Amino acid sequence: MDDRKIRDKYGGKLPKAINRAIRAEVPGGNEALDKLTQLAGAARHSGWKNRSGHNTAEAEEYFRHKRDVVDRMEAQVRKRWGVPPGMGKE
């Protein structure tokens, strides 16, 4: 599969092009990515892990939102544009 089409339309490297496609093509995508950014700030501020090495509540919320919402939107965009699931993750 070729990622050239999505990169030509949205610009940048593949992960950035996919995020731009989510914002443009998926209903609620803009809000979902904005919320992920806010959750990342809170998780970063919390240090991501507590003293015992477990994820903080803020980090758990970030990972849950990424897994349940953003990753599904990314899968929709990848399917629509014919980009394989692992491509661009290295």
Side-chain angles (χ1 to χ4, degrees), residues 37-85:
T37 301
Q38 290 175 338
L39 292 172
R44 190 176 316 112
H45 184 70
S46 74
W48 294 94
K49 303 263 185 203
N50 60 21
R51 290 178 188 227
S52 61
H54 297 96
N55 290 336
T56 62
E58 295 85 358
E60 284 295 330
E61 190 174 354
Y62 168 84
F63 291 127
R64 188 177 313 111
H65 182 70
K66 176 146 177 30
R67 180 187 65 234
D68 295 345
V69 179
V70 176
D71 286 348
R72 290 182 186 185
M73 291 179 173
E74 180 179 343
Q76 289 175 357
V77 168
R78 283 179 178 270
K79 183 177 179 183
R80 184 176 303 141
W81 286 90
V83 179

mmCIF file of all heavy atoms in Angstrom, residues 37-85:
data_model
loop_
_atom_site.group_PDB
_atom_site.id
_atom_site.type_symbol
_atom_site.label_atom_id
_atom_site.label_comp_id
_atom_site.label_asym_id
_atom_site.label_seq_id
_atom_site.Cartn_x
_atom_site.Cartn_y
_atom_site.Cartn_z
ATOM 1 N N THR A 37 -4.891 16.164 23.532
ATOM 2 C CA THR A 37 -3.819 17.107 23.830
ATOM 3 C C THR A 37 -3.941 17.632 25.262
ATOM 4 O O THR A 37 -2.944 17.726 25.982
ATOM 5 C CB THR A 37 -3.849 18.275 22.831
ATOM 6 O OG1 THR A 37 -3.696 17.745 21.517
ATOM 7 C CG2 THR A 37 -2.748 19.275 23.104
ATOM 8 N N GLN A 38 -5.151 17.955 25.689
ATOM 9 C CA GLN A 38 -5.357 18.420 27.059
ATOM 10 C C GLN A 38 -5.017 17.331 28.073
ATOM 11 O O GLN A 38 -4.376 17.598 29.099
ATOM 12 C CB GLN A 38 -6.809 18.858 27.256
ATOM 13 C CG GLN A 38 -7.157 20.120 26.528
ATOM 14 C CD GLN A 38 -8.635 20.450 26.641
ATOM 15 O OE1 GLN A 38 -9.460 19.566 26.899
ATOM 16 N NE2 GLN A 38 -8.964 21.708 26.461
ATOM 17 N N LEU A 39 -5.430 16.109 27.774
ATOM 18 C CA LEU A 39 -5.133 14.995 28.680
ATOM 19 C C LEU A 39 -3.635 14.724 28.737
ATOM 20 O O LEU A 39 -3.106 14.367 29.795
ATOM 21 C CB LEU A 39 -5.880 13.734 28.238
ATOM 22 C CG LEU A 39 -7.403 13.767 28.374
ATOM 23 C CD1 LEU A 39 -8.017 12.536 27.726
ATOM 24 C CD2 LEU A 39 -7.814 13.884 29.825
ATOM 25 N N ALA A 40 -2.945 14.904 27.630
ATOM 26 C CA ALA A 40 -1.493 14.699 27.611
ATOM 27 C C ALA A 40 -0.796 15.716 28.504
ATOM 28 O O ALA A 40 0.161 15.370 29.213
ATOM 29 C CB ALA A 40 -0.958 14.794 26.184
ATOM 30 N N GLY A 41 -1.271 16.952 28.489
ATOM 31 C CA GLY A 41 -0.679 17.972 29.355
ATOM 32 C C GLY A 41 -0.847 17.635 30.823
ATOM 33 O O GLY A 41 0.091 17.747 31.610
ATOM 34 N N ALA A 42 -2.046 17.191 31.190
ATOM 35 C CA ALA A 42 -2.294 16.824 32.586
ATOM 36 C C ALA A 42 -1.463 15.600 32.978
ATOM 37 O O ALA A 42 -0.897 15.544 34.073
ATOM 38 C CB ALA A 42 -3.781 16.537 32.795
ATOM 39 N N ALA A 43 -1.369 14.633 32.079
ATOM 40 C CA ALA A 43 -0.586 13.433 32.373
ATOM 41 C C ALA A 43 0.898 13.759 32.481
ATOM 42 O O ALA A 43 1.600 13.249 33.358
ATOM 43 C CB ALA A 43 -0.822 12.377 31.298
ATOM 44 N N ARG A 44 1.389 14.626 31.614
ATOM 45 C CA ARG A 44 2.794 15.034 31.667
ATOM 46 C C ARG A 44 3.081 15.768 32.969
ATOM 47 O O ARG A 44 4.104 15.561 33.609
ATOM 48 C CB ARG A 44 3.129 15.925 30.471
ATOM 49 C CG ARG A 44 4.606 16.207 30.317
ATOM 50 C CD ARG A 44 4.951 17.007 29.072
ATOM 51 N NE ARG A 44 4.269 16.561 27.875
ATOM 52 C CZ ARG A 44 3.333 17.266 27.222
ATOM 53 N NH1 ARG A 44 2.974 18.453 27.655
ATOM 54 N NH2 ARG A 44 2.767 16.787 26.142
ATOM 55 N N HIS A 45 2.151 16.606 33.384
ATOM 56 C CA HIS A 45 2.316 17.353 34.631
ATOM 57 C C HIS A 45 2.333 16.405 35.844
ATOM 58 O O HIS A 45 3.035 16.660 36.817
ATOM 59 C CB HIS A 45 1.197 18.384 34.776
ATOM 60 C CG HIS A 45 1.332 19.249 35.973
ATOM 61 N ND1 HIS A 45 2.306 20.206 36.091
ATOM 62 C CD2 HIS A 45 0.621 19.290 37.123
ATOM 63 C CE1 HIS A 45 2.196 20.805 37.261
ATOM 64 N NE2 HIS A 45 1.167 20.271 37.907
ATOM 65 N N SER A 46 1.583 15.312 35.736
ATOM 66 C CA SER A 46 1.531 14.359 36.845
ATOM 67 C C SER A 46 2.758 13.454 36.894
ATOM 68 O O SER A 46 2.957 12.739 37.873
ATOM 69 C CB SER A 46 0.273 13.484 36.740
ATOM 70 O OG SER A 46 0.408 12.530 35.704
ATOM 71 N N GLY A 47 3.549 13.459 35.846
ATOM 72 C CA GLY A 47 4.742 12.619 35.802
ATOM 73 C C GLY A 47 4.490 11.251 35.185
ATOM 74 O O GLY A 47 5.376 10.408 35.182
ATOM 75 N N TRP A 48 3.304 10.973 34.695
ATOM 76 C CA TRP A 48 2.894 9.740 34.033
ATOM 77 C C TRP A 48 2.851 8.536 34.980
ATOM 78 O O TRP A 48 1.974 7.710 34.878
ATOM 79 C CB TRP A 48 3.764 9.409 32.830
ATOM 80 C CG TRP A 48 3.643 10.396 31.717
ATOM 81 C CD1 TRP A 48 4.442 11.475 31.509
ATOM 82 C CD2 TRP A 48 2.655 10.427 30.679
ATOM 83 N NE1 TRP A 48 4.025 12.158 30.393
ATOM 84 C CE2 TRP A 48 2.933 11.535 29.867
ATOM 85 C CE3 TRP A 48 1.582 9.610 30.356
ATOM 86 C CZ2 TRP A 48 2.167 11.858 28.757
ATOM 87 C CZ3 TRP A 48 0.824 9.929 29.239
ATOM 88 C CH2 TRP A 48 1.121 11.043 28.461
ATOM 89 N N LYS A 49 3.810 8.408 35.876
ATOM 90 C CA LYS A 49 3.864 7.256 36.790
ATOM 91 C C LYS A 49 3.924 7.765 38.231
ATOM 92 O O LYS A 49 4.487 8.812 38.503
ATOM 93 C CB LYS A 49 5.112 6.413 36.531
ATOM 94 C CG LYS A 49 5.254 5.903 35.125
ATOM 95 C CD LYS A 49 4.743 4.514 35.022
ATOM 96 C CE LYS A 49 5.003 3.980 33.610
ATOM 97 N NZ LYS A 49 4.112 2.910 33.296
ATOM 98 N N ASN A 50 3.362 6.981 39.146
ATOM 99 C CA ASN A 50 3.469 7.343 40.563
ATOM 100 C C ASN A 50 4.700 6.670 41.169
ATOM 101 O O ASN A 50 5.470 6.013 40.466
ATOM 102 C CB ASN A 50 2.177 6.989 41.310
ATOM 103 C CG ASN A 50 1.847 5.517 41.241
ATOM 104 O OD1 ASN A 50 2.702 4.676 40.991
ATOM 105 N ND2 ASN A 50 0.578 5.199 41.457
ATOM 106 N N ARG A 51 4.881 6.810 42.456
ATOM 107 C CA ARG A 51 6.097 6.288 43.106
ATOM 108 C C ARG A 51 6.226 4.771 43.008
ATOM 109 O O ARG A 51 7.320 4.241 43.000
ATOM 110 C CB ARG A 51 6.129 6.704 44.570
ATOM 111 C CG ARG A 51 6.373 8.160 44.744
ATOM 112 C CD ARG A 51 6.338 8.531 46.211
ATOM 113 N NE ARG A 51 6.393 9.978 46.327
ATOM 114 C CZ ARG A 51 7.185 10.598 47.160
ATOM 115 N NH1 ARG A 51 7.960 9.925 47.975
ATOM 116 N NH2 ARG A 51 7.190 11.912 47.206
ATOM 117 N N SER A 52 5.113 4.084 42.940
ATOM 118 C CA SER A 52 5.170 2.621 42.861
ATOM 119 C C SER A 52 5.307 2.115 41.430
ATOM 120 O O SER A 52 5.319 0.910 41.200
ATOM 121 C CB SER A 52 3.938 2.007 43.531
ATOM 122 O OG SER A 52 2.771 2.434 42.884
ATOM 123 N N GLY A 53 5.395 3.030 40.484
ATOM 124 C CA GLY A 53 5.617 2.654 39.094
ATOM 125 C C GLY A 53 4.368 2.431 38.271
ATOM 126 O O GLY A 53 4.452 2.042 37.114
ATOM 127 N N HIS A 54 3.210 2.688 38.848
ATOM 128 C CA HIS A 54 1.954 2.544 38.114
ATOM 129 C C HIS A 54 1.579 3.874 37.466
ATOM 130 O O HIS A 54 1.984 4.938 37.928
ATOM 131 C CB HIS A 54 0.836 2.098 39.060
ATOM 132 C CG HIS A 54 1.092 0.761 39.659
ATOM 133 N ND1 HIS A 54 1.664 0.611 40.900
ATOM 134 C CD2 HIS A 54 0.877 -0.489 39.183
ATOM 135 C CE1 HIS A 54 1.777 -0.670 41.174
ATOM 136 N NE2 HIS A 54 1.315 -1.365 40.143
ATOM 137 N N ASN A 55 0.771 3.797 36.416
ATOM 138 C CA ASN A 55 0.303 5.012 35.760
ATOM 139 C C ASN A 55 -0.540 5.845 36.719
ATOM 140 O O ASN A 55 -1.322 5.300 37.497
ATOM 141 C CB ASN A 55 -0.542 4.678 34.535
ATOM 142 C CG ASN A 55 0.278 4.109 33.404
ATOM 143 O OD1 ASN A 55 1.478 4.341 33.310
ATOM 144 N ND2 ASN A 55 -0.358 3.371 32.531
ATOM 145 N N THR A 56 -0.396 7.153 36.635
ATOM 146 C CA THR A 56 -1.233 8.042 37.437
ATOM 147 C C THR A 56 -2.645 8.036 36.859
ATOM 148 O O THR A 56 -2.879 7.544 35.746
ATOM 149 C CB THR A 56 -0.683 9.473 37.416
ATOM 150 O OG1 THR A 56 -0.696 9.954 36.066
ATOM 151 C CG2 THR A 56 0.727 9.544 37.984
ATOM 152 N N ALA A 57 -3.579 8.580 37.590
ATOM 153 C CA ALA A 57 -4.968 8.649 37.118
ATOM 154 C C ALA A 57 -5.054 9.465 35.830
ATOM 155 O O ALA A 57 -5.807 9.114 34.910
ATOM 156 C CB ALA A 57 -5.856 9.255 38.200
ATOM 157 N N GLU A 58 -4.270 10.526 35.738
ATOM 158 C CA GLU A 58 -4.263 11.359 34.533
ATOM 159 C C GLU A 58 -3.714 10.583 33.332
ATOM 160 O O GLU A 58 -4.238 10.687 32.225
ATOM 161 C CB GLU A 58 -3.424 12.625 34.754
ATOM 162 C CG GLU A 58 -3.982 13.577 35.787
ATOM 163 C CD GLU A 58 -3.578 13.242 37.217
ATOM 164 O OE1 GLU A 58 -2.877 12.232 37.442
ATOM 165 O OE2 GLU A 58 -3.985 13.999 38.112
ATOM 166 N N ALA A 59 -2.663 9.802 33.564
ATOM 167 C CA ALA A 59 -2.094 8.996 32.486
ATOM 168 C C ALA A 59 -3.075 7.920 32.048
ATOM 169 O O ALA A 59 -3.231 7.650 30.851
ATOM 170 C CB ALA A 59 -0.775 8.373 32.924
ATOM 171 N N GLU A 60 -3.765 7.305 33.000
ATOM 172 C CA GLU A 60 -4.762 6.285 32.659
ATOM 173 C C GLU A 60 -5.876 6.876 31.801
ATOM 174 O O GLU A 60 -6.318 6.256 30.840
ATOM 175 C CB GLU A 60 -5.356 5.667 33.928
ATOM 176 C CG GLU A 60 -4.453 4.683 34.619
ATOM 177 C CD GLU A 60 -4.176 3.444 33.778
ATOM 178 O OE1 GLU A 60 -5.036 3.031 32.970
ATOM 179 O OE2 GLU A 60 -3.082 2.880 33.930
ATOM 180 N N GLU A 61 -6.321 8.075 32.161
ATOM 181 C CA GLU A 61 -7.371 8.738 31.388
ATOM 182 C C GLU A 61 -6.887 9.034 29.966
ATOM 183 O O GLU A 61 -7.617 8.842 28.990
ATOM 184 C CB GLU A 61 -7.804 10.017 32.092
ATOM 185 C CG GLU A 61 -9.033 10.641 31.497
ATOM 186 C CD GLU A 61 -9.531 11.833 32.285
ATOM 187 O OE1 GLU A 61 -8.988 12.130 33.373
ATOM 188 O OE2 GLU A 61 -10.466 12.490 31.802
ATOM 189 N N TYR A 62 -5.641 9.486 29.836
ATOM 190 C CA TYR A 62 -5.052 9.745 28.522
ATOM 191 C C TYR A 62 -5.028 8.465 27.685
ATOM 192 O O TYR A 62 -5.480 8.447 26.539
ATOM 193 C CB TYR A 62 -3.633 10.298 28.683
ATOM 194 C CG TYR A 62 -2.850 10.326 27.389
ATOM 195 C CD1 TYR A 62 -2.976 11.388 26.503
ATOM 196 C CD2 TYR A 62 -1.984 9.284 27.046
ATOM 197 C CE1 TYR A 62 -2.275 11.413 25.317
ATOM 198 C CE2 TYR A 62 -1.283 9.301 25.867
ATOM 199 C CZ TYR A 62 -1.424 10.370 24.994
ATOM 200 O OH TYR A 62 -0.728 10.378 23.807
ATOM 201 N N PHE A 63 -4.489 7.377 28.247
ATOM 202 C CA PHE A 63 -4.377 6.120 27.506
ATOM 203 C C PHE A 63 -5.748 5.552 27.147
ATOM 204 O O PHE A 63 -5.936 5.001 26.064
ATOM 205 C CB PHE A 63 -3.564 5.090 28.297
ATOM 206 C CG PHE A 63 -2.102 5.447 28.398
ATOM 207 C CD1 PHE A 63 -1.478 5.500 29.631
ATOM 208 C CD2 PHE A 63 -1.342 5.737 27.269
ATOM 209 C CE1 PHE A 63 -0.133 5.825 29.740
ATOM 210 C CE2 PHE A 63 -0.004 6.065 27.369
ATOM 211 C CZ PHE A 63 0.605 6.110 28.603
ATOM 212 N N ARG A 64 -6.712 5.691 28.035
ATOM 213 C CA ARG A 64 -8.068 5.213 27.773
ATOM 214 C C ARG A 64 -8.686 5.979 26.598
ATOM 215 O O ARG A 64 -9.265 5.383 25.689
ATOM 216 C CB ARG A 64 -8.939 5.355 29.015
ATOM 217 C CG ARG A 64 -10.297 4.722 28.892
ATOM 218 C CD ARG A 64 -11.127 4.817 30.165
ATOM 219 N NE ARG A 64 -10.377 4.442 31.362
ATOM 220 C CZ ARG A 64 -10.019 5.303 32.321
ATOM 221 N NH1 ARG A 64 -10.356 6.568 32.249
ATOM 222 N NH2 ARG A 64 -9.341 4.895 33.381
ATOM 223 N N HIS A 65 -8.552 7.306 26.603
ATOM 224 C CA HIS A 65 -9.115 8.113 25.521
ATOM 225 C C HIS A 65 -8.417 7.802 24.203
ATOM 226 O O HIS A 65 -9.070 7.694 23.162
ATOM 227 C CB HIS A 65 -8.993 9.607 25.863
ATOM 228 C CG HIS A 65 -9.579 10.505 24.835
ATOM 229 N ND1 HIS A 65 -10.937 10.596 24.617
ATOM 230 C CD2 HIS A 65 -8.995 11.355 23.941
ATOM 231 C CE1 HIS A 65 -11.168 11.468 23.649
ATOM 232 N NE2 HIS A 65 -9.998 11.930 23.220
ATOM 233 N N LYS A 66 -7.116 7.643 24.230
ATOM 234 C CA LYS A 66 -6.370 7.324 23.015
ATOM 235 C C LYS A 66 -6.814 5.987 22.458
ATOM 236 O O LYS A 66 -7.079 5.861 21.264
ATOM 237 C CB LYS A 66 -4.859 7.299 23.289
ATOM 238 C CG LYS A 66 -4.059 6.873 22.072
ATOM 239 C CD LYS A 66 -2.757 7.552 21.996
ATOM 240 C CE LYS A 66 -1.868 7.128 20.861
ATOM 241 N NZ LYS A 66 -2.467 6.678 19.652
ATOM 242 N N ARG A 67 -6.936 4.987 23.327
ATOM 243 C CA ARG A 67 -7.309 3.643 22.892
ATOM 244 C C ARG A 67 -8.759 3.585 22.404
ATOM 245 O O ARG A 67 -9.039 3.042 21.335
ATOM 246 C CB ARG A 67 -7.109 2.667 24.052
ATOM 247 C CG ARG A 67 -7.472 1.224 23.725
ATOM 248 C CD ARG A 67 -7.410 0.345 24.958
ATOM 249 N NE ARG A 67 -8.434 0.770 25.927
ATOM 250 C CZ ARG A 67 -8.194 1.079 27.188
ATOM 251 N NH1 ARG A 67 -6.971 1.031 27.668
ATOM 252 N NH2 ARG A 67 -9.170 1.458 27.988
ATOM 253 N N ASP A 68 -9.675 4.153 23.175
ATOM 254 C CA ASP A 68 -11.098 4.004 22.888
ATOM 255 C C ASP A 68 -11.621 4.945 21.816
ATOM 256 O O ASP A 68 -12.581 4.612 21.123
ATOM 257 C CB ASP A 68 -11.923 4.202 24.161
ATOM 258 C CG ASP A 68 -11.658 3.130 25.200
ATOM 259 O OD1 ASP A 68 -11.067 2.095 24.849
ATOM 260 O OD2 ASP A 68 -12.034 3.337 26.372
ATOM 261 N N VAL A 69 -11.020 6.108 21.663
ATOM 262 C CA VAL A 69 -11.563 7.099 20.739
ATOM 263 C C VAL A 69 -10.605 7.365 19.573
ATOM 264 O O VAL A 69 -10.953 7.137 18.410
ATOM 265 C CB VAL A 69 -11.883 8.424 21.481
ATOM 266 C CG1 VAL A 69 -12.413 9.465 20.524
ATOM 267 C CG2 VAL A 69 -12.865 8.179 22.605
ATOM 268 N N VAL A 70 -9.421 7.828 19.866
ATOM 269 C CA VAL A 70 -8.512 8.295 18.821
ATOM 270 C C VAL A 70 -8.001 7.142 17.956
ATOM 271 O O VAL A 70 -7.944 7.268 16.729
ATOM 272 C CB VAL A 70 -7.348 9.107 19.428
ATOM 273 C CG1 VAL A 70 -6.356 9.514 18.372
ATOM 274 C CG2 VAL A 70 -7.904 10.336 20.143
ATOM 275 N N ASP A 71 -7.654 6.020 18.561
ATOM 276 C CA ASP A 71 -7.162 4.889 17.767
ATOM 277 C C ASP A 71 -8.231 4.353 16.821
ATOM 278 O O ASP A 71 -7.920 3.916 15.708
ATOM 279 C CB ASP A 71 -6.645 3.768 18.669
ATOM 280 C CG ASP A 71 -5.312 4.103 19.310
ATOM 281 O OD1 ASP A 71 -4.676 5.098 18.899
ATOM 282 O OD2 ASP A 71 -4.901 3.371 20.234
ATOM 283 N N ARG A 72 -9.482 4.390 17.221
ATOM 284 C CA ARG A 72 -10.571 3.964 16.333
ATOM 285 C C ARG A 72 -10.734 4.928 15.159
ATOM 286 O O ARG A 72 -10.967 4.502 14.032
ATOM 287 C CB ARG A 72 -11.873 3.849 17.106
ATOM 288 C CG ARG A 72 -11.861 2.681 18.053
ATOM 289 C CD ARG A 72 -13.144 2.534 18.781
ATOM 290 N NE ARG A 72 -12.997 1.475 19.784
ATOM 291 C CZ ARG A 72 -13.975 1.038 20.525
ATOM 292 N NH1 ARG A 72 -15.174 1.567 20.413
ATOM 293 N NH2 ARG A 72 -13.757 0.080 21.397
ATOM 294 N N MET A 73 -10.601 6.207 15.438
ATOM 295 C CA MET A 73 -10.674 7.191 14.351
ATOM 296 C C MET A 73 -9.503 7.013 13.392
ATOM 297 O O MET A 73 -9.669 7.105 12.178
ATOM 298 C CB MET A 73 -10.685 8.609 14.918
ATOM 299 C CG MET A 73 -11.942 8.958 15.643
ATOM 300 S SD MET A 73 -11.859 10.621 16.309
ATOM 301 C CE MET A 73 -13.524 10.812 16.914
ATOM 302 N N GLU A 74 -8.335 6.748 13.948
ATOM 303 C CA GLU A 74 -7.161 6.510 13.106
ATOM 304 C C GLU A 74 -7.378 5.285 12.222
ATOM 305 O O GLU A 74 -7.034 5.292 11.036
ATOM 306 C CB GLU A 74 -5.915 6.317 13.967
ATOM 307 C CG GLU A 74 -4.671 6.058 13.144
ATOM 308 C CD GLU A 74 -3.419 5.888 13.985
ATOM 309 O OE1 GLU A 74 -3.414 6.275 15.167
ATOM 310 O OE2 GLU A 74 -2.448 5.355 13.434
ATOM 311 N N ALA A 75 -7.983 4.237 12.765
ATOM 312 C CA ALA A 75 -8.256 3.024 11.986
ATOM 313 C C ALA A 75 -9.223 3.317 10.840
ATOM 314 O O ALA A 75 -9.057 2.799 9.731
ATOM 315 C CB ALA A 75 -8.807 1.932 12.894
ATOM 316 N N GLN A 76 -10.216 4.182 11.085
ATOM 317 C CA GLN A 76 -11.152 4.562 10.020
ATOM 318 C C GLN A 76 -10.429 5.278 8.886
ATOM 319 O O GLN A 76 -10.664 4.987 7.714
ATOM 320 C CB GLN A 76 -12.235 5.494 10.569
ATOM 321 C CG GLN A 76 -13.233 4.861 11.470
ATOM 322 C CD GLN A 76 -14.193 5.896 12.047
ATOM 323 O OE1 GLN A 76 -14.069 7.099 11.798
ATOM 324 N NE2 GLN A 76 -15.146 5.443 12.842
ATOM 325 N N VAL A 77 -9.562 6.219 9.259
ATOM 326 C CA VAL A 77 -8.823 6.982 8.244
ATOM 327 C C VAL A 77 -7.889 6.059 7.478
ATOM 328 O O VAL A 77 -7.804 6.125 6.249
ATOM 329 C CB VAL A 77 -8.048 8.154 8.888
ATOM 330 C CG1 VAL A 77 -7.062 8.773 7.916
ATOM 331 C CG2 VAL A 77 -9.023 9.201 9.395
ATOM 332 N N ARG A 78 -7.177 5.191 8.176
ATOM 333 C CA ARG A 78 -6.263 4.263 7.509
ATOM 334 C C ARG A 78 -7.022 3.360 6.536
ATOM 335 O O ARG A 78 -6.566 3.095 5.428
ATOM 336 C CB ARG A 78 -5.508 3.419 8.535
ATOM 337 C CG ARG A 78 -4.392 4.169 9.216
ATOM 338 C CD ARG A 78 -3.695 3.286 10.239
ATOM 339 N NE ARG A 78 -2.593 3.970 10.870
ATOM 340 C CZ ARG A 78 -1.339 3.956 10.421
ATOM 341 N NH1 ARG A 78 -1.043 3.290 9.332
ATOM 342 N NH2 ARG A 78 -0.401 4.612 11.048
ATOM 343 N N LYS A 79 -8.193 2.879 6.937
ATOM 344 C CA LYS A 79 -8.992 2.015 6.070
ATOM 345 C C LYS A 79 -9.463 2.783 4.838
ATOM 346 O O LYS A 79 -9.395 2.281 3.715
ATOM 347 C CB LYS A 79 -10.183 1.457 6.842
ATOM 348 C CG LYS A 79 -11.015 0.492 6.052
ATOM 349 C CD LYS A 79 -12.141 -0.072 6.892
ATOM 350 C CE LYS A 79 -12.977 -1.029 6.071
ATOM 351 N NZ LYS A 79 -14.122 -1.539 6.829
ATOM 352 N N ARG A 80 -9.938 4.003 5.048
ATOM 353 C CA ARG A 80 -10.438 4.821 3.945
ATOM 354 C C ARG A 80 -9.347 5.109 2.922
ATOM 355 O O ARG A 80 -9.589 5.107 1.722
ATOM 356 C CB ARG A 80 -11.008 6.133 4.488
ATOM 357 C CG ARG A 80 -11.643 7.002 3.418
ATOM 358 C CD ARG A 80 -12.278 8.247 3.998
ATOM 359 N NE ARG A 80 -13.264 7.899 5.008
ATOM 360 C CZ ARG A 80 -13.440 8.571 6.140
ATOM 361 N NH1 ARG A 80 -12.714 9.628 6.400
ATOM 362 N NH2 ARG A 80 -14.345 8.206 7.003
ATOM 363 N N TRP A 81 -8.122 5.369 3.387
ATOM 364 C CA TRP A 81 -7.031 5.742 2.499
ATOM 365 C C TRP A 81 -6.168 4.545 2.093
ATOM 366 O O TRP A 81 -5.216 4.692 1.321
ATOM 367 C CB TRP A 81 -6.161 6.810 3.156
ATOM 368 C CG TRP A 81 -6.830 8.140 3.172
ATOM 369 C CD1 TRP A 81 -7.637 8.651 4.137
ATOM 370 C CD2 TRP A 81 -6.769 9.140 2.154
ATOM 371 N NE1 TRP A 81 -8.073 9.893 3.792
ATOM 372 C CE2 TRP A 81 -7.551 10.223 2.579
ATOM 373 C CE3 TRP A 81 -6.115 9.224 0.931
ATOM 374 C CZ2 TRP A 81 -7.714 11.366 1.814
ATOM 375 C CZ3 TRP A 81 -6.267 10.381 0.169
ATOM 376 C CH2 TRP A 81 -7.066 11.420 0.614
ATOM 377 N N GLY A 82 -6.454 3.359 2.613
ATOM 378 C CA GLY A 82 -5.698 2.169 2.249
ATOM 379 C C GLY A 82 -4.303 2.106 2.823
ATOM 380 O O GLY A 82 -3.387 1.569 2.199
ATOM 381 N N VAL A 83 -4.127 2.661 4.016
ATOM 382 C CA VAL A 83 -2.831 2.646 4.679
ATOM 383 C C VAL A 83 -2.835 1.511 5.699
ATOM 384 O O VAL A 83 -3.703 1.460 6.561
ATOM 385 C CB VAL A 83 -2.551 3.993 5.385
ATOM 386 C CG1 VAL A 83 -1.214 3.973 6.089
ATOM 387 C CG2 VAL A 83 -2.602 5.136 4.390
ATOM 388 N N PRO A 84 -1.868 0.581 5.624
ATOM 389 C CA PRO A 84 -1.843 -0.543 6.572
ATOM 390 C C PRO A 84 -1.676 -0.081 8.022
ATOM 391 O O PRO A 84 -1.099 0.972 8.285
ATOM 392 C CB PRO A 84 -0.614 -1.347 6.141
ATOM 393 C CG PRO A 84 -0.289 -0.900 4.770
ATOM 394 C CD PRO A 84 -0.799 0.498 4.638
ATOM 395 N N PRO A 85 -2.177 -0.880 8.978
ATOM 396 C CA PRO A 85 -2.155 -0.490 10.385
ATOM 397 C C PRO A 85 -0.774 -0.152 10.957
ATOM 398 O O PRO A 85 -0.654 0.773 11.733
ATOM 399 C CB PRO A 85 -2.748 -1.697 11.102
ATOM 400 C CG PRO A 85 -3.548 -2.394 10.072
ATOM 401 C CD PRO A 85 -2.881 -2.129 8.771
#
